[in-house]
Amino acid sequence: MKVGYVSNVDIKDRRGWSGTISNLADTISQHHEVIPIIVNHNKIEKIMKGMDYVLSAGKRKNGYFCQYYNAYRLHKKIRQTDCDIYFAPAQSELISFSIPNDKKLIYLSDAVFRLMVGYYWSELDSRTEEYLDYCEKSALQRADAVIFASKWAKDGAVDFYQTNPEKIHILPFGANIVDRYQGYQKRDLENNTIRLLLVGVEWERKGIDIAIDCVRTLNNMQEKYSFDLTIIGVDKPTDQEYEPYIHILGRLNKDVPEEYERMVSYYQNSDLFLLPTKAECAGIVFAEAAEYGLPSVTHKTGGVESYVEDGVTGRCLPPGSTGEDFAAAIMDIIENGRLGVYSKAARAKYEKELNWNSWLESFDAILVDLQKQ
């Protein structure tokens, strides 16, 4: 089929939505012809938004106009294309006003607006919240099918926007690194070193202080094991010194072959994935951990439970859990022989759900159903 891919960035740009825009395009193009329909920033939009800050103290008066103008541009572009279906990931504002009623539309997101306020974002001014709520509800109503990356997002659409649950599909995102898993093998613990891996780009939201406190607690509470933590994605604070068992590597760029291979090696050579995230819509890193058979230990928050099954592929601790709580959960996994059990279950979940081939099979089924309507 011809799939019109609606985006406000180049669909080949690996930076768009943390790489998800390009990964989705690559995945869909395996079975379908992907037609980019790009409505990106232009000079008029930049000028109008600049005027907002000069004249209106940063309020969105001209921002609304720009969105209407972009919706007009999108509507015009769609009328100039001939696609079987239109696919719009994370574009609720655009598609609220611009998709002709005679076109089939799939809307994809990892959350709905109302879930994000007070969770990822602080509260916005009332006019902006009203406008974005309207856009979200309109996009959900207009879409012929809706894809969410977690049950949490689906529940938000049903609860806050009364979206028909029959047109909602839960398709978890897949892993974005190469699959070189060679089967679970019991780690050689002659020196009793257990290697923990954390991948995250925001220090506070990803709970990195909690993770560091967890590893300190693990090493101080017993002498049988030595715990080692590698953190990828954030820079080491210049005003802090850390123990030799805490390694803060900074960001590794997947587009640089040497850095990409280095990241893969850490997934291959770690024992557990630790991410005490405080807010998460759809953690692709959990899919990548499962790909390499790493049990995940994290918070029960947002969309996490669609990626980590508590007591099956790892642990999901209650929000607000401390480093000591995470340390106790990890010791329980190790001391009660659950490391291997969780590892195999995590890999099985990856093979069944958390990969892009499975995502594409489900996407194809949605397309077939829409074509029959």
Side-chain angles (χ1 to χ4, degrees), residues 33-52:
E33 181 182 357
V34 174
I35 310 298
I37 303 176
I38 312 301
V39 182
N40 50 16
H41 301 301
N42 60 18
K43 291 182 180 179
I44 293 177
E45 183 177 2
K46 290 178 180 178
I47 291 171
M48 295 298 287
K49 286 189 174 180
M51 290 174 62
D52 273 350

Side-chain angles (χ1 to χ4, degrees), residues 85-100:
I85 202 139
Y86 292 85
F87 175 66
Q91 296 296 332
S92 58
E93 286 188 78
L94 271 180
I95 64 177
S96 300
F97 314 106
S98 54
I99 307 296

Side-chain angles (χ1 to χ4, degrees), residues 26 68 77 193 215 221 242 332 372:
D26 290 344
Y68 299 141
K77 288 190 175 188
T193 297
V215 178
M221 70 188 294
Y242 295 95
D332 179 68
K372 294 177 181 178

Side-chain angles (χ1 to χ4, degrees), residues 99-146:
I99 307 296
N101 289 329
D102 60 334
K103 305 295 185 181
K104 294 290 186 181
L105 172 67
I106 298 175
Y107 169 48
L108 175 146
S109 188
D110 61 356
V112 294
F113 169 72
R114 186 46 49 188
L115 286 174
M116 300 293 279
V117 179
Y119 185 60
Y120 263 64
W121 311 327
S122 58
E123 291 187 3
L124 308 174
D125 66 87
S126 59
R127 185 184 180 193
T128 298
E129 287 198 15
E130 182 179 357
Y131 165 74
L132 292 175
D133 264 328
Y134 170 79
C135 290
E136 188 73 71
K137 185 168 186 176
S138 298
L140 291 166
Q141 289 178 338
R142 171 61 189 85
D144 298 283
V146 178

Side-chain angles (χ1 to χ4, degrees), residues 219-292:
N219 283 321
N220 292 333
M221 70 188 294
Q222 49 78 49
E223 297 181 353
K224 182 177 180 180
Y225 302 101
S226 174
F227 289 86
D228 189 272
L229 174 64
T230 296
I231 301 171
I232 298 173
V234 294
D235 293 326
K236 180 179 178 181
T238 56
D239 59 344
Q240 295 288 332
E241 292 295 329
Y242 295 95
E243 295 84 348
Y245 52 76
I246 294 174
H247 314 281
I248 303 176
L249 305 185
R251 295 198 180 204
L252 295 181
N253 188 342
K254 292 180 180 179
D255 291 329
V256 178
E258 295 80 6
E259 295 185 21
Y260 180 82
E261 292 299 326
R262 191 178 178 195
M263 177 174 285
V264 170
S265 72
Y266 280 108
Y267 277 103
Q268 288 176 315
N269 295 305
S270 297
D271 301 297
L272 275 166
F273 189 78
L274 172 62
L275 188 67
T277 182
K278 299 173 184 177
E280 201 74 45
C281 294
I284 288 178
V285 289
F286 293 122
E288 293 171 348
E291 178 181 17
Y292 280 89

